[in-house]
């Protein structure tokens, strides 16, 4: 629906049309626009090279078509390290049984094949073998352009990155400044993610029982979980241990603070990069999309994070069907493994 408008916009730019068009992988129609105004198109991938290579090999090798079980682990070939996944974790991305998914994937691949080059939201020093693997697999120019969060160097820049924060930055900083170095766990499962009430309760109790200081961003919560928080007086109960941020958090500001000692994250790549960029060890809690592939990079390849034992994808509007996957004791144990040991 935007194709005609984008083309008109590009042609009307003064003093001359652009030299290149950079567009997201999910906009294959921009290939036709770039051809009509005679400029090269460059594809942008918001995920890391490792996950990009993983998905490329799964799709081109048609591996999922030969896997009958949704819950049995299998190896993904052609990666720098041995990596195992289950079909249920990837079906939303590479699902040969879904005609609509397959057709859109074919359109994206065709558009990428015709592109001049590829931009990847990663940096080569992090995953050099995967970057080379993507270059070989795609057969075209590949540039890595991250981590872009490091452009925000001043405190005010970090506060204003993204949406308006739901908490005063001074409150956050005062809380952090009262703690010991590397002692605070930052918990944020992203701006889109949702968990069932039962899992939110187990996460709350796991954080409390860990006795570790924490900042927990609870951006999307159900009425039932809000009711539980009130009935249990949870925030009052843990006020000496941690704070809850209801809404948008100044994540870059918090993660870059020297008292943060761990990051429990959903493993969408922007959040992952922000944690990696400041050298914080991770607890991985993948939910959907390519997040399970990202988890394998950090846990199996880089070895700078620990799994929270999420095994099944949690899709939009299907959270309650999945239910709780990680219990309170497992959460407490993985927090201690990241925050309390030599590993």
């Amino acid at each position: 629906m935007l194709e005609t408008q984008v083309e008109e916009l590009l042609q009307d730019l003064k003093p001359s049309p652009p030299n290149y068009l950079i567009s997201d992988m999910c906009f294959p129609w921009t290939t036709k626009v770039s051809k009509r105004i005679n400029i090269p198109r460059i594809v942008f991938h918001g995920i890391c090279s490792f996950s990009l290579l993983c998905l490329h090999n799964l799709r081109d090798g048609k591996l999922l078509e030969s896997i009958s079980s949704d819950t049995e682990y299998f190896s993904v070939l052609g990666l720098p390290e041995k990596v195992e996944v289950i079909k249920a974790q990837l079906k939303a991305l590479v699902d040969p049984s879904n005609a609509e998914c397959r057709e859109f994937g074919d359109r994206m691949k065709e558009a990428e094949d015709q592109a001049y080059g590829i931009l990847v939201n990663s940096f080569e020093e992090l995953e050099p073998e995967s970057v080379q693997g993507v270059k070989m697999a795609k057969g075209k120019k590949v540039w890595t352009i991250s981590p872009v969060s490091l452009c925000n160097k001043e405190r005010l820049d970090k506060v204003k990155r993204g949406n308006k924060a739901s908490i005063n930055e001074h409150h956050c900083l005062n809380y952090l400044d009262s703690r010991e170095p590397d002692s605070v766990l930052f918990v944020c499962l992203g701006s889109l993610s949702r968990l069932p009430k039962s899992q939110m309760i187990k996460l709350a109790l796991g954080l409390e029982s860990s006795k570790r200081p924490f900042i927990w961003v609870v951006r999307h919560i159900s009425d039932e979980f809000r009711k539980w928080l009130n009935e249990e007086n949870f925030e009052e109960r843990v006020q000496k241990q941690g704070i809850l941020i209801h809404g948008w958090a100044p994540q870059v500001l918090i993660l870059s603070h020297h008292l943060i000692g761990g990051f429990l994250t959903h493993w969408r790549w922007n959040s992952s990069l922000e944690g990696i960029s400041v050298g914080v060890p991770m607890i991985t809690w993948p939910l959907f999309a390519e997040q399970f592939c990202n988890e394998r990079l950090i846990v199996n390849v880089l070895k700078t994070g620990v799994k929270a034992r999420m095994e099944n994808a949690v899709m939009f509007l299907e959270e309650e069907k999945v239910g709780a996957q990680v219990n309170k004791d497992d959460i407490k144990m993985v927090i201690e493994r990241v925050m309390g040991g030599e590993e």
Side-chain angles (χ1 to χ4, degrees), residues 34 47 58 68 70 110 112-113 122 131 214:
S34 66
I47 65 178
L58 283 169
S68 56
D70 278 358
E110 181 182 359
E112 187 178 82
D113 289 344
S122 186
V131 172
F214 65 85

Side-chain angles (χ1 to χ4, degrees), residues 143-163:
W143 299 273
T144 55
I145 60 165
S146 281
V148 295
S149 61
L150 293 184
C151 72
N152 300 106
K153 300 184 185 302
E154 303 300 325
R155 191 178 84 176
L156 189 60
D157 283 344
K158 295 175 182 178
V159 171
K160 290 188 174 182
R161 183 175 176 86
N163 289 346

Side-chain angles (χ1 to χ4, degrees), residues 260-274:
I260 294 293
F263 183 20
L264 192 159
T265 172
H266 63 316
W267 273 101
R268 204 70 204 257
W269 190 239
N270 274 337
S271 288
S272 307
L273 268 179
E274 289 169 4

Side-chain angles (χ1 to χ4, degrees), residues 199-211 216 228 232 234 237 328-329 331-332:
Q199 184 64 81
M200 292 291 283
I201 292 173
K202 292 181 188 304
L203 179 53
L205 296 176
L207 290 170
E208 182 182 26
S209 64
S210 74
K211 306 299 182 186
W216 183 15
W228 181 88
E232 295 291 324
F234 181 78
R237 214 164 73 198
K328 180 190 81 171
D329 292 337
I331 294 166
K332 178 184 176 182

Side-chain angles (χ1 to χ4, degrees), residues 221-238:
I221 59 175
S222 63
D223 292 339
E224 292 82 4
F225 180 63
R226 185 176 284 106
K227 181 181 178 183
W228 181 88
L229 287 175
N230 293 331
E231 289 177 347
E232 295 291 324
N233 294 317
F234 181 78
E235 291 186 68
E236 184 179 341
R237 214 164 73 198
V238 299

Side-chain angles (χ1 to χ4, degrees), residues 81-234:
E81 301 275 345
K82 181 181 179 181
V83 168
E84 293 187 328
V85 292
I86 61 176
K87 192 173 182 178
Q89 295 169 349
L90 303 170
K91 285 183 72 174
L93 279 174
V94 191
D95 186 0
S97 65
N98 184 319
E100 186 178 2
C101 176
R102 187 173 63 249
E103 189 269 338
F104 187 62
D106 290 341
R107 285 170 55 201
M108 287 194 295
K109 184 179 185 304
E110 181 182 359
E112 187 178 82
D113 289 344
Q114 297 176 44
Y116 175 72
I118 296 171
L119 291 180
V120 182
N121 185 26
S122 186
F123 56 102
E124 195 152 357
E125 293 84 352
L126 179 69
E127 41 171 359
E129 293 178 320
S130 294
V131 172
Q132 292 304 313
V134 169
K135 289 178 179 179
M136 292 181 63
K138 302 294 186 182
K140 58 178 76 264
K141 295 177 182 291
V142 175
W143 299 273
T144 55
I145 60 165
S146 281
V148 295
S149 61
L150 293 184
C151 72
N152 300 106
K153 300 184 185 302
E154 303 300 325
R155 191 178 84 176
L156 189 60
D157 283 344
K158 295 175 182 178
V159 171
K160 290 188 174 182
R161 183 175 176 86
N163 289 346
K164 181 176 174 58
S166 304
I167 189 171
N168 184 288
E169 71 268 21
H170 299 295
H171 180 52
C172 256
L173 294 174
N174 288 339
Y175 169 81
L176 285 166
D177 289 339
S178 68
R179 303 294 165 173
E180 297 294 321
D182 298 326
S183 67
V184 181
L185 176 68
F186 181 53
V187 182
C188 183
L189 295 176
S191 55
L192 297 175
S193 308
R194 289 168 171 80
L195 291 175
K197 173 194 171 185
S198 56
Q199 184 64 81
M200 292 291 283
I201 292 173
K202 292 181 188 304
L203 179 53
L205 296 176
L207 290 170
E208 182 182 26
S209 64
S210 74
K211 306 299 182 186
R212 297 278 175 180
F214 65 85
I215 297 175
W216 183 15
V217 183
V218 284
R219 182 165 170 76
H220 293 294
I221 59 175
S222 63
D223 292 339
E224 292 82 4
F225 180 63
R226 185 176 284 106
K227 181 181 178 183
W228 181 88
L229 287 175
N230 293 331
E231 289 177 347
E232 295 291 324
N233 294 317
F234 181 78

